Amino acid sequence: MKSYDVCECGAPLELREQETPEPTGSEVLLRVVAAGVCHSDLHFWEGVYDLGGGRQLKLTERGMTLPLTMGHETVGEIVALGPDAGRLRIGDRKLVYPWIGCGECKVCQRGEEQLCLAPRFLGVFRPGGYSDHIVVPHPRYLLDIGDLPPEQAAPLACSGITAYGALRKVGGVLQTEPIVIIGAGGLGLMCLALLKALGGHGAIVLDIDPAKREAAKAAGALAVIDANAPDVVKQITDAANGGIWAAIDFVGSDKTVRMGIDSLTKGGKLIVVGLFGGEINLPTLYIPVKAMTLQGSYTGSLAELSDLLDLVRHQPLPLIPVRRRPLEEATAALTDLKEGKVIGRVVLAPVG
Ligand SMILES: [Zn+2]
Ligand SMILES: [Zn+2]
């Protein structure tokens, strides 16, 4: 088994070759067909989150160990089953749900494994898809992709479910009011596509990059606005013909969170998804007087991924631009993403 692993935070990934594991118990072994390169991989690669004020959260102090095989957006082909894995067809292609918890705590029992305090996330705490093989602990984490091409299905496990989980938090105004989407990277474009599939009214999309704004416009945004414009909040409210009821921030910097809050009308909600980091200083009076909601959203549950796949099967998404690159180019793919050179998604695939 070949994988490209983080051996030192931020350093180029290293090729490691090991014995291909034999699945035991309920485990399933898959041959990787497509592994999405996600913006959060940059954080796992560098091993830190920015907490603002010069402080950092180190992932190696939160249970991440090196070497790490990243990759949490994986489609694979079943090649072997543990004795307790039940009846699955060898050769079937499945999407892997990576946000796996301990399986035993109340949170996991409630079906919110992505919020478990003892996570076993594939590609973060357990080996993920930057490899030619992946082991999944139980067949319930494997979902049917039907006729979806693997490189379109793979990003549903993270960017898809993350955008979908955030949109589900918007509530009833989704169909009647324009929402704001901050950030037109992979997540923002996915959100725009899902909003359409859900019958949403539409979105005003903000980004600092003209190429990304152009991509959002082509994907059907009601309006696109330069997030660096000095009168950005006024431009948002003008485009919305009034205040905004819901904004989703896929960046999560102090600047974007503040911009999101400032664009809300009374009773509005800001859903923060992005992990850019920073800190905000907010008059607490705003919270009751604006009757505002500030809510975080972290990926989504196994049931949400299953709902999302149903949605996409009945309401095919416009194809997000996807570039396939061989697994050997994992470091280059991460570097391009870091430098903001990627429109849409990059999917790695082992050659052969
Ligand atoms: Zn748990
Ligand atoms: Zn991700």
Side-chain angles (χ1 to χ4, degrees), residues 101-109 112-113 115-119:
C102 71
E104 280 155 21
C105 71
K106 279 187 191 170
V107 179
C108 287
Q109 296 295 324
E112 302 271 10
E113 293 195 42
L115 304 178
C116 176
L117 297 178

Side-chain angles (χ1 to χ4, degrees), residues 36-41 44 71-73 98-99 124 155 157-160 162 187 275 298-299 345:
V37 178
C38 172
H39 203 272
S40 45
D41 285 330
F44 305 140
H72 52 266
E73 299 182 347
W99 312 111
V124 186
C158 181
S159 78
T162 298
L187 270 173
L275 304 172
Y298 189 78
T299 72
R345 305 295 279 183

Side-chain angles (χ1 to χ4, degrees), residues 4-13 36-50 57-73 98-99 114 119-130 157-159 162 273 275 298-299 334 337-338 345:
Y4 279 82
D5 295 353
V6 182
C7 294
E8 186 190 329
C9 288
L13 306 190
V37 178
C38 172
H39 203 272
S40 45
D41 285 330
L42 296 178
H43 293 286
F44 305 140
W45 183 29
E46 283 159 3
V48 287
Y49 285 112
D50 183 3
L57 184 150
K58 284 203 168 60
L59 286 163
T60 45
E61 289 166 8
R62 291 296 172 103
M64 193 181 93
T65 54
L66 301 180
L68 166 69
T69 309
M70 299 196 297
H72 52 266
E73 299 182 347
W99 312 111
Q114 79 281 12
R120 298 184 290 166
F121 301 165
L122 303 180
V124 186
F125 301 110
R126 299 287 166 94
Y130 285 22
C158 181
S159 78
T162 298
V273 176
L275 304 172
Y298 189 78
T299 72
L334 286 165
L337 188 62
K338 188 178 171 180
R345 305 295 279 183

Side-chain angles (χ1 to χ4, degrees), residues 253-269:
S253 71
D254 36 36
K255 200 176 158 200
T256 57
V257 169
R258 195 53 208 257
M259 191 163 69
I261 290 173
D262 289 344
S263 68
L264 295 179
T265 189
K266 288 190 175 184
K269 182 190 272 191

